Amino acid sequence: MKSYLYSRISTLQQTKGFGIDRQVQTVTDFLKYATIDSRLGYQLDVEDFEVLESDLGKSAYKGNNWKPNSSLGRFYKDVVSGRITSGVLICENVDRLVRMSNYEASNKLSTLITNGIDIIEVESGMCFSNKIPESATILNMSISRAYSESKRKSDMATKSWANRTNKLKDSGRAVSKVCPRWLTVKDGQYVLDEKQAETLLYIHQMYLEGHGNSALVRRLNAAKRLDNGKPWTTITLHRVLRDERLTGRMVMGKTRKPIPVLDDQGNKIIENGKVKTYVPVEIIDDAYPVVVPRELFNQVQAMISEKEGSKVKKTTKYMRNIFNGVSRCSSCGEALVADKNGHGKLFYVCLGKRHKKACNSVGIPYEAFERTMLENLSQMDWQRIYTGNTDMEAMNQCRVRLVAVEREIAELEGELESSDEDMVL
């Protein structure tokens, strides 16, 4: 009988340990030396097994390891759909498979068993199968034990976090060593990095005065006022402008699962064809040292929202550049993009020159480039090329046309340079 070996860890932090390696080694060793109940009517084939991809950071308590994007979820789908009709699922302990409530967990495992997949728990050596009647009772006990243990840990973690947040509210004591990058934790208290705080306040003040993100990034990097030793980017700058923690406010629960909004009769409220939900959050003011005054922060948020709301999506039924994604700069190999200059004329510009300033190529008038390329492409014998007739004559013909195109491009570049010199004179 073919075996399927499964392993799981609840958090990604556990990948630093040996949890997965230990589980895989345990189940593979079991497969080599296992003696199973004779009532099953088969033996495990030590040569015929499949190690399922480990579910890393998938909580069994929340049922995340049974979702379609998980290894166990895909296995479950294959069994239910009939792609896998028989086999044995082997795990170190039943709690690797389920930590959900009894009925939810029983439903999942019972579905596997009734569809031809027996389950073996390595730690106890127990096999859960229709062919072993008493195994159903033991399975329910294992499920109940796994769920109770996870619920106890969850309750303890909730109480511990509540205790820490109460200490934060009462005495300003840090809830965790993990904190915003402009703070450190010393003797249980948040300590502000004054130099970094000065830069963050300066960013908000300058933005309110009308300085854009790109201009601020250039000014900060030129003045060596870095972001914890790293150069600023428009992305990191935008995140700082939106970071409410700078006002001293801590918002907890943003990542919690959305909860449906119910009406007076207890029915879910539907808006625009979707269930209306909300995320329960807890707000603690003055949790951190204040870097940006609340009034200044709110003014910046209003300005950002106004700018974002005024942006009109640029859509057109016309293609600006029909060679987009296939054209490259002959000097540096970077992509060529069509862009308008100050006079509204469309030019082919090298990204290496525009962004990295690492290319000396000159922009090419796009209309002339497109016209030249289309004229040459229209004269090519495409049927001969796509029928696989790649004799030397056809290849030489392509080379001749390529040289002609390059010559015309060079002439256009020369004309452009001459026009630039005339403008300077």
Side-chain angles (χ1 to χ4, degrees), residues 4-9 19-25 27 51-56 58 65 71-72 89-92 96-97:
Y4 296 89
L5 315 184
Y6 178 73
S7 56
R8 178 191 64 82
I9 52 176
I20 285 293
D21 293 338
R22 187 204 69 245
Q23 291 179 48
V24 173
Q25 187 63 48
V27 293
V51 180
L52 300 178
E53 181 182 351
S54 299
D55 278 329
L56 306 178
K58 304 284 187 181
N65 61 324
S71 176
L72 187 59
L89 180 62
I90 304 178
C91 58
E92 183 182 48
R96 296 300 88 200
L97 300 175

Side-chain angles (χ1 to χ4, degrees), residues 17-116:
F18 302 99
I20 285 293
D21 293 338
R22 187 204 69 245
Q23 291 179 48
V24 173
Q25 187 63 48
T26 299
V27 293
T28 50
D29 287 347
F30 174 85
L31 183 60
K32 292 177 183 177
Y33 308 108
T35 301
I36 59 177
D37 197 309
S38 59
R39 286 176 290 178
L40 295 173
Y42 59 79
Q43 290 296 322
L44 300 178
D45 187 346
V46 295
E47 302 295 333
D48 187 13
F49 67 91
E50 180 181 338
V51 180
L52 300 178
E53 181 182 351
S54 299
D55 278 329
L56 306 178
K58 304 284 187 181
S59 170
Y61 183 59
K62 298 177 181 178
N64 292 338
N65 61 324
W66 288 90
K67 292 184 177 180
N69 63 341
S70 65
S71 176
L72 187 59
R74 290 189 293 270
F75 175 77
Y76 181 79
K77 181 179 178 181
D78 288 340
V79 172
V80 173
S81 65
R83 198 183 75 81
I84 299 176
T85 57
S86 63
V88 180
L89 180 62
I90 304 178
C91 58
E92 183 182 48
N93 192 291
V94 168
D95 65 10
R96 296 300 88 200
L97 300 175
V98 290
R99 282 183 179 271
M100 298 177 289
S101 62
N102 292 26
Y103 289 109
E104 290 180 287
S106 296
N107 179 52
K108 292 291 186 184
L109 299 186
S110 296
T111 300
L112 289 178
I113 293 171
T114 54
N115 280 275

Side-chain angles (χ1 to χ4, degrees), residues 5 51 57 116 124 137 190 256 274 283 298 320 355 383 414 422:
L5 315 184
V51 180
S124 64
T137 302
Y190 291 118
R256 291 174 182 166
K274 296 182 179 180
I283 297 175
N298 289 340
R320 173 183 283 188
H355 293 322
Q383 184 176 1
D422 292 341

Side-chain angles (χ1 to χ4, degrees), residues 359-418:
C359 182
N360 297 320
S361 62
V362 180
I364 308 168
Y366 178 76
E367 290 182 6
F369 176 85
E370 181 183 283
R371 184 174 60 254
T372 302
M373 287 294 295
L374 291 178
E375 286 176 357
N376 284 273
L377 289 171
S378 65
Q379 297 173 25
M380 296 185 70
D381 189 351
W382 295 104
Q383 184 176 1
R384 192 172 186 182
I385 293 173
Y386 282 105
T387 52
N389 188 2
T390 56
D391 56 17
M392 289 302 297
E393 183 182 351
M395 294 177 66
N396 288 333
Q397 184 182 3
C398 292
R399 291 194 182 99
V400 170
R401 296 200 182 282
L402 180 61
V403 170
V405 172
E406 290 178 343
R407 187 183 296 114
E408 292 191 38
I409 292 173
E411 291 174 358
L412 291 170
E413 289 180 344
E415 292 177 7
L416 183 64
E417 289 178 357
S418 299

